Amino acid sequence: MFKVTFSFEDGSVVETFANAGDNLLEIARDHNVAIDAPCSGNASCGKCRVRLLSGELDSKKTLHISDEEYDQGWRLACVSKISSDVTVMVPDIASAYKSRMKVADLSSPEEIAIFEHAKRDIQLTGIELKNSLDVIEVTMEEPSLDDTMPDNERLTRALRKYVNIGRVNIPYAVLRKLPDVLRSNHFSVKCVVRTTSENMFVYDVFCADEDVVIAGLAVDIGTTTVSGVIINMENGDILAKGSSGNGQIRFGADVINRIIEQQKPGGVKKLQDAIIKETINPMIREMCKSAKISSNQIYRMCVASNTTMNHLFAGINADPVRTEPYIPAFFKTNSLFASDVGIHINPDAHIIMAPNIGSYVGGDITAGTLISMIWNRPEFSLFIDLGTNGELVFGNSDFMMSCACSAGPAFEGGDISCGMRATDGAIEACTIDKETMEPSYQVVGDPGTKPIGLCGSGIIDVISELFVTGIINPKGKFVREGRRIRHDQYGMGSYVIAFEEEAGSVKDVEITEVDIDNFIRAKGAIFSAIRTMLSSLDFDVSMIDDVYVAGGIGSGINMQNAVNIGMFPDIPIEKFHYIGNSSLTGAYLMLLSTPAEKKTYELANNMTYMELSTVPTYMDEFVGACFIPHTDTSMFPSVMEKLNS
Amino acid sequence: MFKVTFSFEDGSVVETFANAGDNLLEIARDHNVAIDAPCSGNASCGKCRVRLLSGELDSKKTLHISDEEYDQGWRLACVSKISSDVTVMVPDIASAYKSRMKVADLSSPEEIAIFEHAKRDIQLTGIELKNSLDVIEVTMEEPSLDDTMPDNERLTRALRKYVNIGRVNIPYAVLRKLPDVLRSNHFSVKCVVRTTSENMFVYDVFCADEDVVIAGLAVDIGTTTVSGVIINMENGDILAKGSSGNGQIRFGADVINRIIEQQKPGGVKKLQDAIIKETINPMIREMCKSAKISSNQIYRMCVASNTTMNHLFAGINADPVRTEPYIPAFFKTNSLFASDVGIHINPDAHIIMAPNIGSYVGGDITAGTLISMIWNRPEFSLFIDLGTNGELVFGNSDFMMSCACSAGPAFEGGDISCGMRATDGAIEACTIDKETMEPSYQVVGDPGTKPIGLCGSGIIDVISELFVTGIINPKGKFVREGRRIRHDQYGMGSYVIAFEEEAGSVKDVEITEVDIDNFIRAKGAIFSAIRTMLSSLDFDVSMIDDVYVAGGIGSGINMQNAVNIGMFPDIPIEKFHYIGNSSLTGAYLMLLSTPAEKKTYELANNMTYMELSTVPTYMDEFVGACFIPHTDTSMFPSVMEKLNS
């Protein structure tokens, strides 16, 4: 056994022991050390860089590590085996996916504005904000030798007096509490109940003088980021809001790699643990602390996530998602309870899930569609959710069609040499001076934070600026020279946004032709999906009245730049609207409002799913879109006009 | 810390460590060392005798240990504290309650006869042997790009084709299995389902070619002994039968002492663990092994037990059972599932419970009443269940009345100096020669087993014989002299049934005047309860057409001797019938037959409960019954005739 020490830039360490020959990335995964490995450890992405501080590693050389870097101790974790006691430094860039849990400060009105808007908007459509949970105060006669009814029948009788209901269901958890709670309160109590037309379910019983909050939990499980809110089910108030990296990230950046991991022995449990035990439960704990409530008082949960994520969450084999005919275990299910999956809220809490409509159009999209309101307007709108997959919904109050395209992780900084998520140190916006070719940029984090990489919106800006300033051509090749433009030994060009000395990183923050090429394919996938879906309906982009963009990438996204590079169609910029994390907001509404929940099911039922891979013209569209902005420049008149001005 | 070693007569040992001052009985309880302590450790019963083999104990002297015995190392565990490393011997008599698990040999027709009779008898009343569980073979179309229904909807659609049903409920446990089972069997499977008029619940899904057994579990949880059967739910066949001591026994012999124990911090969990983890789950494991089925294939469980036992089983505070107005948490509940209480069968299995009708007339009696069939005859019958409590039901097809009396543990050998349960070494039958006063007896166990104590039926025989032979008078005092009759220093008489040299015990097997007095009070409680209940209905014992006696004591019981001592009324002996463990047989029928289950609820609803303690004449009746056979000898004409012959 050798001692393996992972050392982080913040000074923290993780120590463990391993056998000779053990794979360093696997060891990191087993010990919850987050090393970015979007390709899931097959040496193709080059992201899992670690630096040897002491000891040796039996490590293959790869093109991702230059000779100089190798001498400095840089290795890829995925091709490194243990051969001695060893200490490696895990750079921040490699642990960019590190689970950073954050509980929001609700005193900032921006944090809750989106939920307030959603509440207001949905009510305008006539959907009421009511659900089946309620608190009822009940006072019973105390038992006596003449009134010998046992506790559960006594409570049932009393509840029936308050509500005209057939059947009262007192579950085991409540039955256990009954003798003590009733007797310590002279048979005067508060009950948390769920009432439907036929029966009543008693979730909990409290002292009559206790201040009872009925809480609910809405969670958006993104492939990369998980976010959630705890709400007051009586009025929809946000009691706490939090987010965290998805703990599954160490098993691969995209859903396909995760499914491959869960196919290995014990994998289903491992992936489920990563999302529930490591991610959601700690988030619940922190949010409950902030909301000052007991997690046991969360009586309902709504999950919105893509089809793979909700299978992995439920611990159900997701392999059918990725193999023809792509039919998974469920699109919707009513069978999940907190105790089934080990979510630390009230064990009897029902977990509802936003419905999936296909293997690649999941509950995040149906919940997001609810929020986009495109189903409530006669105008034709396009809803785009930008994530690891791009999903589109197009339609109006009469019809809706959806499709998904695999954009890859580029929008979230994956497949890009200096790419990272929109966390501290990410360049999120950039302009480049046409004359000097010098950049000005904006970095996520406190003022003065040094840049360490590029997040999705930053990449869009950089590529758009490079193109508009004529530094790169429509194929993404460098055609101007300057101090920030370099070519390596194979002639591959790159542009340095921040030199090592001004960067907070161990190397220059740059963008290479390979990066640009990867990004062009991602944006091409989106644009060609839009074109293909619209064409199949005999629509043209000019007929789109509004575009609603959702997803984590979006908050900093410059819509004009996205049009410039040919990611979005060239229509008036005021038609674009950013609607934030619509998956979470949708889950929030489904949780709070039973009619909104029903509406989402109705939307899912009415949405036509289009499998892009079966459309013969999609590939042609895609190839045409792999230029900046497009091979057919007539589709981008405003962009061409700008270039020629 | 001192080392504490418990050594048993079979040579086994249990070792642990304890602090100075720790109570020896508590240590034994914490380490599952069964030391008989019917009084629950307050030094009143004198049963928890252990013998010091090495080391010292800080031990109070008590009247239960003579000076000679003290010098030999005998101590009461309940008054002994640790003061050094110590080894104590736990004699078999003190561990008589030791959990002896036994799985029956079903090739013996007697083992299953009682269930066959019950099946036959209940069907004669028009009650069908049908339940809601079923196996359905289902073949689905395999999914394709044109038939994109997910697994759960596909199975639902297919099941609906077979049965005309509204709602199909596929629980989480089945949803998890679906993708793999369906795909490995080309979408052709067997489902175990429960079908009601409105919906179908899918318990399990199997390969189409698997031989699927739907098993059920019926358990009688006695205060002393737990017995159970695993059955085939399709035809009622007994697949396995087992019994075991109730692991709670180390927390007291009767329900009151157990309730007191569960009131201590952590007590509810401790008592629940003792019955579920230590007793029922190991029994299930052994029975499943014998039946060659997986415990996961047990889809339904029925429990029959007294009100305290079923509260302790469910882990629900039973304290209200023993405090006025004696109203517990539930009489009946529909809310219990295997996963709630940690019973190792299918986690979704419903646990049904025979209904209680009062704090002291529980599900064991309502289930037993079903078996007694007294509800199906115009004749007036009396059903007696003899246990730590005696319960009575009197009536016919028009009415039923029930009551309970506290007989104490005497029928099971408690409160009797040489008393023990009907296990190996117990004298279960005895006659005494009127001239020589020499006894002949029969011992439980293999031929040649030496007597170590007296069980209930043996005590009845001994007292009856002592009385009929004129050795004791109606007050239970010794009035003849002989080599087997002794008087101690206080003049208290006793009769030696087996001298130490012929006994398998460390002392003589004898019965003392104190024992006889204790037993007289137990039998007096039963007889006076019968009289009181009958009187309140303006009935006389002569109007009883049949008496059905149930309970563990019963198999060896000599009805004539029970009449001789005034325990049962003096009516023709052919009217008495022993019906075995009617609680278990009743649970079996409730499990197998939904109409029988409903019938039991109906019986419980129609049974009037009489609280004896509120009847003013009960105490007079009791005092009158505390003689052999009774102060009013005219009630026992046949006995008096025999005495005078």
Side-chain angles (χ1 to χ4, degrees), chain A residues 143-145 147-154 167 169-173 175-176 178-180 183 198 263 268-269 272 311 313-318 320 323-337 340-341 348 611 614, chain B residues 143-145 147-154 167 169-173 175-176 178-180 183 198 263 268-269 272 311 313-318 320 323-337 340-341 348 611 614:
Chain A
S144 66
L145 288 172
D147 178 5
T148 60
M149 204 166 246
D151 298 352
N152 62 345
E153 293 177 39
R154 187 170 297 271
R167 199 160 162 263
N169 188 344
I170 297 177
Y172 177 61
L175 189 60
R176 284 183 78 168
L178 270 193
D180 297 318
R183 282 169 188 75
E198 286 149 34
Q263 274 294 88
V268 171
K269 174 98 176 50
Q272 192 185 27
H311 276 72
F313 167 80
I316 296 173
N317 184 359
T323 46
E324 214 188 291
Y326 316 109
I327 309 302
F330 67 92
F331 284 158
K332 42 187 196 264
T333 174
N334 212 14
S335 308
L336 225 57
F337 294 86
D340 286 333
V341 291
D348 287 316
E611 178 57 52
T614 64
Chain B
S144 68
L145 288 173
D147 177 5
T148 61
M149 203 166 249
D151 298 352
N152 61 346
E153 295 177 36
R154 187 170 297 272
R167 198 159 162 266
N169 188 343
I170 298 176
Y172 178 63
L175 189 60
R176 284 183 79 169
L178 271 192
D180 296 318
R183 281 168 188 75
E198 287 148 35
Q263 275 294 88
V268 171
K269 175 97 176 49
Q272 191 184 27
H311 277 71
F313 168 80
I316 296 173
N317 185 359
T323 46
E324 213 188 291
Y326 317 110
I327 309 301
F330 68 92
F331 284 158
K332 42 188 198 262
T333 174
N334 210 13
S335 308
L336 226 57
F337 294 86
D340 286 332
V341 291
D348 286 317
E611 178 57 52
T614 64

Side-chain angles (χ1 to χ4, degrees), chain B residues 423-557:
Chain B
T423 49
D424 284 2
I427 293 175
E428 59 170 347
C430 179
T431 55
I432 296 174
D433 187 276
K434 192 166 183 169
E435 301 308 315
T436 63
M437 297 193 284
E438 286 297 307
S440 325
Y441 49 76
Q442 197 175 310
V443 177
V444 177
D446 297 328
T449 303
K450 290 190 168 177
I452 54 175
L454 286 159
C455 70
S457 58
I459 299 167
I460 291 175
D461 284 4
V462 169
I463 297 178
S464 172
E465 290 288 300
L466 288 173
F467 177 63
V468 170
T469 54
I471 299 171
I472 58 173
N473 68 14
K475 289 183 176 174
K477 303 297 169 203
F478 285 89
V479 290
R480 286 178 70 181
E481 297 295 335
R483 75 167 191 122
R484 288 187 177 267
I485 294 149
R486 295 198 296 217
H487 292 275
D488 71 6
Q489 60 199 103
Y490 308 104
M492 186 180 72
S494 64
Y495 174 85
V496 180
I497 303 128
F499 287 106
E500 192 174 337
E501 50 274 20
E502 54 187 304
S505 172
V506 289
K507 57 177 198 169
D508 300 340
V509 178
E510 60 174 358
I511 191 162
T512 69
E513 285 176 0
V514 172
D515 297 337
I516 295 171
D517 197 47
N518 284 341
F519 199 86
I520 285 177
R521 276 186 285 125
K523 75 93 189 168
I526 297 287
F527 186 77
S528 52
I530 297 172
R531 281 269 301 175
T532 305
M533 188 164 69
L534 262 59
S535 300
S536 78
L537 294 165
D538 276 334
F539 271 78
D540 182 82
V541 295
S542 65
M543 297 156 87
I544 302 174
D545 290 298
D546 282 292
V547 179
Y548 298 94
V549 180
I553 189 195
S555 71
I557 193 173

Side-chain angles (χ1 to χ4, degrees), chain B residues 290-351:
Chain B
S290 149
K292 298 189 179 63
I293 62 160
S294 151
S295 62
N296 214 49
Q297 278 176 256
I298 299 175
Y299 299 104
R300 195 169 178 82
M301 175 177 184
C302 180
V303 170
S305 61
N306 67 49
T307 311
T308 302
M309 284 304 118
N310 55 40
H311 277 71
L312 297 182
F313 168 80
I316 296 173
N317 185 359
D319 195 52
V321 166
R322 74 177 184 104
T323 46
E324 213 188 291
Y326 317 110
I327 309 301
F330 68 92
F331 284 158
K332 42 188 198 262
T333 174
N334 210 13
S335 308
L336 226 57
F337 294 86
S339 58
D340 286 332
V341 291
I343 284 282
H344 285 168
I345 58 178
N346 190 288
D348 286 317
H350 202 170
I351 301 179

